[in-house]
Amino acid sequence: MKKLITILSLFIGTLAFSQASEAKARELVKIMGADKLAISGMQSQIQELKKTSPEISDEFVSEFISEITPEKIIEIYAPIYMKYYTEPEMDELIKFYKSPLGQKGISLVPSIMKESIEAGGKLGRETAIKVKERLNEKAGYQNPPPPMPEKSENK
């Protein structure tokens, strides 16, 4: 009987800890705005996809977007946060993200991400041109290519 009580106590303690951790993970996701950021990113990606795939109907896009709610995002993100953060770490992060500096950081994430993506894209394009020119030079290619020799007509 003692063994059963010990096992049940451990189970209940683990369950209570797990529920507390999950509640904190959900709070952390919400405070960080990860749910809203995910939905905003998804909406942007769908609009970009619609440009390249016009066969996707507006009705599909509308229905799809309405299905992905902040609560669903929080539900799938919370276990991920629980995997990487301990409960005390989540407490500290929650405390930080509730502070003025944490709130400033959260509000700047979209701008920082946008500028970072643009800067990374520019770096990628410049690097691609540089590498292509270097490889063309190595292969003996000329840019622009020399004019084609005129064909001589044999009569």
Side-chain angles (χ1 to χ4, degrees):
M1 185 69 168
K2 274 186 173 180
K3 199 175 196 179
L4 178 61
I5 291 172
T6 303
I7 291 172
L8 286 174
S9 297
L10 287 173
F11 175 73
I12 291 170
T14 303
L15 181 61
F17 176 77
S18 176
Q19 288 173 340
S21 291
E22 183 175 351
K24 288 184 182 188
R26 294 171 75 81
E27 182 180 2
L28 181 58
V29 170
K30 195 167 186 149
I31 287 171
M32 291 176 67
D35 55 333
K36 292 176 185 162
L37 192 60
I39 289 174
S40 174
M42 176 202 60
Q43 290 172 337
S44 295
Q45 288 179 338
I46 287 174
Q47 294 308 322
E48 287 302 312
L49 179 63
K50 188 128 172 57
K51 288 178 187 174
T52 59
S53 303
E55 70 276 4
I56 298 174
S57 72
D58 290 337
E59 182 180 17
F60 175 84
V61 169
S62 178
E63 290 288 322
F64 184 88
I65 289 172
S66 71
E67 287 288 321
I68 309 295
T69 63
E71 187 53 41
K72 284 183 180 177
I73 298 295
I74 292 169
E75 186 179 312
I76 64 168
Y77 279 20
I80 297 167
Y81 281 59
M82 290 169 59
K83 178 180 174 182
Y84 292 100
Y85 295 115
T86 64
E87 191 168 348
E89 289 171 335
M90 285 190 274
D91 287 335
E92 289 297 314
L93 286 167
I94 290 167
K95 184 177 165 184
F96 170 72
Y97 283 115
K98 283 183 173 180
S99 75
L101 179 59
Q103 289 296 302
K104 179 181 180 180
I106 290 167
S107 71
L108 292 176
V109 165
S111 298
I112 291 170
M113 290 301 297
K114 181 178 184 260
E115 288 182 40
S116 298
I117 290 168
E118 289 169 359
K122 182 179 182 221
L123 176 64
R125 287 186 300 278
E126 290 169 354
T127 302
I129 291 168
K130 183 178 169 183
V131 168
K132 185 177 184 233
E133 288 173 353
R134 186 172 56 236
L135 293 176
N136 284 346
E137 186 178 312
K138 183 178 175 183
Y141 298 138
Q142 186 178 336
N143 191 12
M148 295 285 293
E150 291 190 28
K151 293 183 181 180
S152 58
E153 292 183 37
N154 293 336
K155 290 188 179 179

